[in-house]
Amino acid sequence: MRSPLQPAKFSPANDILALQPDFADPVTAADFPQTILRFRNDRWATTVGLEGLSDDDWLRHFGRFAPLDGSLPQPLALRYHGHQFRVYNPDIGDGRGFLYAQLRDGAGRLLDLGTKGSGQTPYSRFGDGRLTLKGGVREILATEMLEALGVNTSKTFSIIETGEALARNDEPSPTRAAVMVRLSHSHIRIGSFQRAAYFDDKALLERLTDYALTKLYKETPGENPPAQLLGRVVERAADLAASYMVAGFVHGVLNSDNINVTGESFDYGPWRFTPLWEPAFTAAYFDHAGLYAFGRQAEAIHWDVAQLAVSLRPIVEAEPLIQQLERFPQLYGKAMVRRFCWRLGVKPTGDASPMIEAAVRGLAASETQIDRFFQDWRGGDPRACSDYAGEAWAPFRDAISDFEESQVKDHPYWSDASPCSMHIDEVEAIWSAIDKDDEWAPLHAKVAAIRRMGDALGDAPPLP
């Protein structure tokens, strides 16, 4: 069973101001025609002491962006650069979002409340600074599913419809608009360091490094803080890449401005869950080369982390950074074992790599759906199922026999006829009900089903 989220008292913070004046620009939220509350995540609001807000106060803070007492006096549009599909872009930053507030949970962890669709900023370029309601609904589904599957992800905290009609080239227009708030363990990106390095701002690089270590990792800087930080990012990023694979998730846009230095996944645009174990499966229609395909995500994240190492070079020698980067493949392999065994419900004893390789080959050869496989082998009696009797599954059947079950199967979820999945046809059906009939029941039912699955899976394995 999943550990319950711990309630906390509201504890505002504004630690990000230590990075000013070179890190962000004060901005003002758009004045929306309407604020219609569509989703409030009271489950996570409890962990930061905001579950007691009335709906009117919720709209005032997360639709009109009245400051939270004791936190930031004004929203901040963060400055950053980044490689976008491996092409460096110095003309980006928070173009349709901002950092609205900071606060701490009951364990003292520093968290951000950041927005998407809150209006134009100095970095909007030619954009309108808005978010489609469909984009907000998709973000709810992505973050809820990833959280249930043990991925370290931001949480969709609030969705408020704004009464605007938006024109978009990649979906039917006009379409409804929304403003989203996410709860995240920082919005410091690899691209934040890239921008400081681009301007050869060693002082900002040092402040960013100190902020990340002391505020986000809660560590005392040692003899080599940049290498110390890179080591932590390598560990978290390798685990993130493995968690995507075990979840069957494709982020779609793993640019360096979308990689958080805490290793937390966030900012979901053209995401997908692949039904089958297809390494070439892509989420973004514009990813023509398959750079961020399902099977290339570890490579992409490792490449992005290398850009952090490059950005730290103005304040540290190369050798300790190289040593940290070289740990990634081994850490990724260990994380795959840890997470695959967790979802499978077995103890990761001995060398589990051959078992996982046999499972992947079986999935690919038999075209068994990923979610179906984990549901059957963790919750059912797959040896009695003809689907796994063929030659494609023989190596896995032999390998798995050496592993002990690690968790009980007493949750009723494991008796369900079908696994809880999140494939594109269901995503579109949920949105269609909202778009055509303003029917939100399918969305709420899906969120409840996802959380039920997450409760059955239990807590994800921690980093060693």
Side-chain angles (χ1 to χ4, degrees), residues 217 219 230-240 324 327-328 331 335 338 463-464:
Y217 284 97
E219 291 187 7
L230 182 65
R232 295 295 174 266
V233 177
V234 166
E235 293 162 3
R236 298 286 185 92
D239 186 64
L240 176 65
Q324 294 296 340
R327 299 169 61 216
F328 187 98
L331 289 169
R338 187 171 61 249
L463 283 167

Side-chain angles (χ1 to χ4, degrees), residues 19-20 50 75 138 148 260 299 335 381:
L19 296 175
Q20 286 292 71
L50 293 176
R138 282 173 50 84
N260 192 326
E299 169 201 336
D381 185 14

Side-chain angles (χ1 to χ4, degrees), residues 43-65:
R43 193 168 73 132
W44 276 92
T46 299
T47 71
V48 290
L50 293 176
E51 78 285 0
L53 290 177
S54 67
D55 282 354
D56 286 343
D57 283 339
W58 191 278
L59 290 170
R60 187 168 63 88
H61 288 299
F62 305 126
R64 299 301 179 189
F65 297 100

Side-chain angles (χ1 to χ4, degrees), residues 15-259:
D15 298 52
I16 198 76
L17 297 179
L19 296 175
Q20 286 292 71
D22 308 310
F23 185 67
D25 296 272
V27 292
T28 302
D31 185 12
F32 299 115
Q34 295 178 288
T35 51
I36 306 167
L37 182 57
R38 295 302 191 183
F39 180 80
R40 58 178 283 172
N41 195 336
D42 279 324
R43 193 168 73 132
W44 276 92
T46 299
T47 71
V48 290
L50 293 176
E51 78 285 0
L53 290 177
S54 67
D55 282 354
D56 286 343
D57 283 339
W58 191 278
L59 290 170
R60 187 168 63 88
H61 288 299
F62 305 126
R64 299 301 179 189
F65 297 100
L68 288 171
D69 290 343
S71 190
L72 300 180
Q74 186 172 359
L76 296 173
L78 306 186
R79 305 173 184 176
Y80 48 86
H81 291 178
H83 278 88
Q84 300 184 309
F85 287 85
R86 303 283 169 90
V87 177
Y88 193 78
N89 188 350
D91 296 319
I92 53 178
D94 277 343
R96 58 171 175 167
F98 49 60
L99 179 62
Y100 164 61
Q102 291 190 299
L103 63 178
R104 286 185 167 81
D105 63 12
R109 186 173 61 143
L110 181 64
L111 300 172
D112 291 350
L113 288 170
T115 68
K116 195 173 184 178
S118 49
Q120 292 179 313
T121 77
Y123 309 103
S124 298
R125 292 179 286 173
F126 302 106
D128 59 13
R130 296 329 198 243
L131 171 70
T132 67
L133 181 60
K134 182 179 183 180
V137 168
R138 282 173 50 84
E139 190 118 359
I140 294 170
L141 293 172
T143 54
E144 290 284 342
M145 191 70 177
L146 288 173
E147 181 187 350
L149 290 171
V151 176
N152 182 17
T153 178
S154 63
K155 313 302 185 290
T156 304
F157 198 74
S158 172
I159 298 287
I160 291 171
E161 190 169 358
T162 61
E164 296 178 307
L166 303 179
R168 292 292 184 265
N169 295 327
D170 56 354
E171 61 182 273
S173 296
T175 189
R176 293 152 74 176
V179 62
M180 183 191 85
V181 176
R182 73 166 69 96
L183 181 68
S184 181
H185 187 203
S186 171
H187 285 79
I188 306 293
R189 301 156 164 86
I190 289 174
S192 307
F193 286 79
Q194 288 182 284
R195 179 185 173 277
Y198 180 89
F199 289 113
D200 196 28
D201 192 339
K202 296 182 179 66
L204 180 55
L205 279 172
E206 290 171 349
R207 292 206 307 277
L208 278 167
T209 300
D210 183 77
Y211 179 93
L213 281 174
T214 61
K215 304 298 185 181
L216 306 180
Y217 284 97
K218 299 171 74 171
E219 291 187 7
T220 301
E223 293 182 1
N224 192 330
Q228 180 182 349
L229 173 61
L230 182 65
R232 295 295 174 266
V233 177
V234 166
E235 293 162 3
R236 298 286 185 92
D239 186 64
L240 176 65
S243 73
Y244 280 172
M245 299 302 291
V246 173
F249 180 71
V250 187
H251 184 283
V253 188
L254 290 173
N255 296 330
S256 61
D257 57 299
N258 284 341
I259 304 296

Side-chain angles (χ1 to χ4, degrees), residues 369-422:
Q369 291 199 353
I370 295 170
D371 299 324
R372 176 84 267 171
F373 163 77
F374 283 111
Q375 173 86 353
D376 287 343
W377 283 89
R378 178 161 177 171
D381 185 14
R383 291 174 181 80
C385 177
S386 61
D387 291 347
Y388 301 99
E391 187 63 27
W393 286 105
F396 178 74
R397 290 197 306 269
D398 291 341
I400 196 65
S401 62
D402 294 332
F403 288 80
E404 289 183 50
E405 292 183 1
S406 61
Q407 298 190 32
V408 295
K409 303 175 182 178
D410 57 355
H411 195 285
Y413 172 77
W414 301 117
S415 299
D416 289 358
S418 300
C420 180
S421 297
M422 182 60 68

